[in-house]
């Protein structure tokens, strides 16, 4: 274990992929994510666990990520635990007990707390796990449900259809902020924002330093104080992450607004607006107005608006 712990900080962040369906292996989903009929050469194999390399390369950043195929919780190691930043679980929706078979993973996922949580099946099945049951499970455990071959496809007449299947999985993974992300130079403003975010994320997600005391080794009074400090520190860091993520969303909106007026641009623009609306809806009621004002102001500035025109606006003033 000590050797693994020493090498943890050097490992690429990983997407932990597992399947509770004996007829659909983790490697099958890896192929679909990579859009390849064959698997790449693994970077590592260890007791049934296989690490596959994946370079995420999009408009804003590049990141080296491992797609880590883990058959069961019995294969979990400290290394995988520390490196996991996204979790994808496949289940057999034709089996009424399909979701129950994922139960051993729940406590593991809650402990890891990855940013991306995706539940995958071929398609929901009225004779097995229904859409309602799958969605209720996802709501209870903060997952997103994605069907690889949904029966109900987006309306062809919809100008901005939602992504489905593996395309949606790849989109969700591209939207994550990986710990080793490298912003592209042409996105200068985003680079500064991402650098700040990464500094916070590194502190928030990084393994405990050997110099930090374990709670189990402290007397009760010190333990309570440390727990309080860690709670305050975590809240501050999470707030900083939310602010930085909002800044990135705003910058993307500005880029989309300033870009070419083509269908892809409009599709992404509306999708981004919906994503930001969904994020805002999860905030406490008293924070929504402040958040909306901040987004509006920052977006106005991002597209070259005059600060004087919005300087008088604040959450404490009547419009």
């Amino acid at each position: 274990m000590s050797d693994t712990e020493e090498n943890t900080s050097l490992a690429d962040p990983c997407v932990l992929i597992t399947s509770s369906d004996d007829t659909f292996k983790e490697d099958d989903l890896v192929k679909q994510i990579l859009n390849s009929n064959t698997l790449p050469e693994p970077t590592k194999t260890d007791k049934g666990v296989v690490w596959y390399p994946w370079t995420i390369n999009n408009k804003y950043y590049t990141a080296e990520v491992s797609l880590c195929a883990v058959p069961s919780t019995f294969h979990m190691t400290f290394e995988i635990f520390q490196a996991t930043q996204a979790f994808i679980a496949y289940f057999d929706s034709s089996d009424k007990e399909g979701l129950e078979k994922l139960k051993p993973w729940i406590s593991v996922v809650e402990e890891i707390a990855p940013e991306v949580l995706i539940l995958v099946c071929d398609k929901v099945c009225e004779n097995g796990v229904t859409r309602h049951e799958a969605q209720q499970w996802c709501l209870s455990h903060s997952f997103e449900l994605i069907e690889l071959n949904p029966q109900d496809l987006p309306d062809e007449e919809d100008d901005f259809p939602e992504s489905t299947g593996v395309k949606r999985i790849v989109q969700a993974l591209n939207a994550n902020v990986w710990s080793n992300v490298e912003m592209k130079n042409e996105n200068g403003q985003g680079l500064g924002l991402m650098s700040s975010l990464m500094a916070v994320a590194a502190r928030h997600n990084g393994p405990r330093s050997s110099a930090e005391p374990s709670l189990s080794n402290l007397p009760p009074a010190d333990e309570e104080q440390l727990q309080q400090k860690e709670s305050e520190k975590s809240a501050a860091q999470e707030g900083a992450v939310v602010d930085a993520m909002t800044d990135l969303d705003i910058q993307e909106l500005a880029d989309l607004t300033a870009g070419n007026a083509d269908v892809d641009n409009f599709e992404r623009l509306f999708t981004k607006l919906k994503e930001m609306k969904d994020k805002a809806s999860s905030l406490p009621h008293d924070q929504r107005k402040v958040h909306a004002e901040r987004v509006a102001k920052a977006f106005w500035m991002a597209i070259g608006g005059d600060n004087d025109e919005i300087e008088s606006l604040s959450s404490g003033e009547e419009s």
Side-chain angles (χ1 to χ4, degrees):
M1 176 65 75
S2 60
D3 292 339
T4 303
E5 290 179 3
E6 289 175 6
N7 294 328
T8 298
S9 60
L10 301 177
D12 287 336
C14 85
V15 181
L16 195 164
I17 301 174
T18 192
S19 173
S20 62
D21 182 357
D22 293 336
T23 65
F24 187 95
K25 298 301 183 182
E26 295 81 14
D27 290 352
D28 296 328
L29 193 52
V30 171
K31 289 178 185 177
Q32 293 194 41
I33 292 173
L34 297 178
N35 191 25
S36 173
N37 293 325
T38 59
L39 292 166
E41 186 69 23
T43 54
K44 181 179 179 181
T45 58
D46 183 24
K47 298 178 182 177
V49 178
V50 186
W51 286 258
Y52 297 102
W54 183 34
T55 300
I56 299 180
N57 184 5
N58 56 42
K59 176 181 177 182
Y60 296 98
Y61 70 82
T62 60
E64 299 298 330
V65 176
S66 291
L67 299 176
C68 189
V70 185
S72 71
T73 54
F74 297 107
H75 295 79
M76 283 295 293
T77 64
F78 184 79
E79 179 184 10
I80 302 170
F81 184 94
Q82 290 290 84
T84 296
Q85 295 181 20
F87 178 82
I88 302 176
Y90 184 93
F91 76 104
D92 179 8
S93 58
S94 66
D95 180 0
K96 288 184 177 293
E97 302 300 318
L99 289 174
E100 188 66 22
K101 293 179 180 179
L102 291 175
K103 190 173 181 179
W105 281 105
I106 298 304
S107 59
V108 176
V109 170
E110 288 176 349
E111 187 71 19
I112 298 174
E115 292 295 325
V116 180
L117 294 169
I118 299 175
L119 177 69
V120 183
C121 65
D122 183 60
K123 61 174 146 244
V124 290
C125 181
E126 292 306 315
N127 296 323
V129 178
T130 65
R131 181 178 302 280
H132 177 73
E133 290 171 335
Q135 289 176 336
Q136 287 300 308
W137 189 94
C138 287
L139 284 173
S140 298
H141 303 294
S142 301
F143 276 67
E144 176 182 357
L145 174 64
I146 296 178
E147 299 170 83
L148 295 179
N149 297 291
Q151 186 172 358
D152 298 324
L153 295 172
D155 190 345
E156 292 182 0
E157 296 182 0
D158 189 346
D159 292 331
F160 309 104
E162 294 185 3
S163 297
T164 59
V166 72
K167 180 179 179 182
R168 174 56 200 147
I169 295 176
V170 173
Q171 280 185 349
L173 295 175
N174 270 263
N176 188 45
V177 182
W178 304 96
S179 59
N180 63 348
V181 71
E182 292 187 11
M183 293 299 294
K184 294 185 176 179
N185 292 332
E186 58 265 29
N187 296 290
Q189 185 172 351
L191 179 60
L193 295 170
M194 184 64 81
S195 297
S196 300
L197 177 59
M198 284 301 93
V200 173
R203 293 195 299 272
H204 184 62
N205 296 324
R208 178 186 296 273
S209 166
S210 58
E212 293 185 53
S214 169
L215 293 179
S216 60
N217 296 328
L218 294 175
D222 291 342
E223 177 181 340
E224 184 177 343
Q225 279 188 348
L226 183 58
Q227 284 178 330
Q228 182 178 354
K229 288 181 180 178
E230 288 192 347
S231 177
E232 293 171 354
K233 178 181 176 182
S234 175
Q237 290 174 345
E238 288 173 3
V241 169
V242 170
D243 286 345
M245 285 300 295
T246 300
D247 287 337
L248 290 171
D249 288 339
I250 291 165
Q251 182 58 40
E252 184 175 354
L253 279 181
D255 290 343
L256 289 168
T257 305
N260 297 325
D262 56 22
V263 173
D264 290 340
N265 236 38
F266 276 118
E267 178 181 347
R268 182 55 191 156
L269 176 62
F270 276 83
T271 301
K272 174 54 68 174
L273 288 170
K274 182 179 183 300
E275 289 173 0
M276 294 181 74
K277 179 182 177 182
D278 291 342
K279 287 180 185 178
S281 66
S282 67
L283 294 172
H285 179 75
D286 58 345
Q287 294 181 21
R288 291 181 193 173
K289 182 179 179 182
V290 175
H291 177 79
E293 263 183 18
R294 182 172 177 273
V295 169
K297 287 182 180 181
F299 179 58
W300 177 254
M301 297 301 296
I303 62 175
D306 188 346
N307 187 51
D308 293 337
E309 296 182 33
I310 58 171
E311 189 173 8
S312 61
L313 294 178
S314 73
S315 59
E317 296 176 2
E318 296 293 334
S319 56

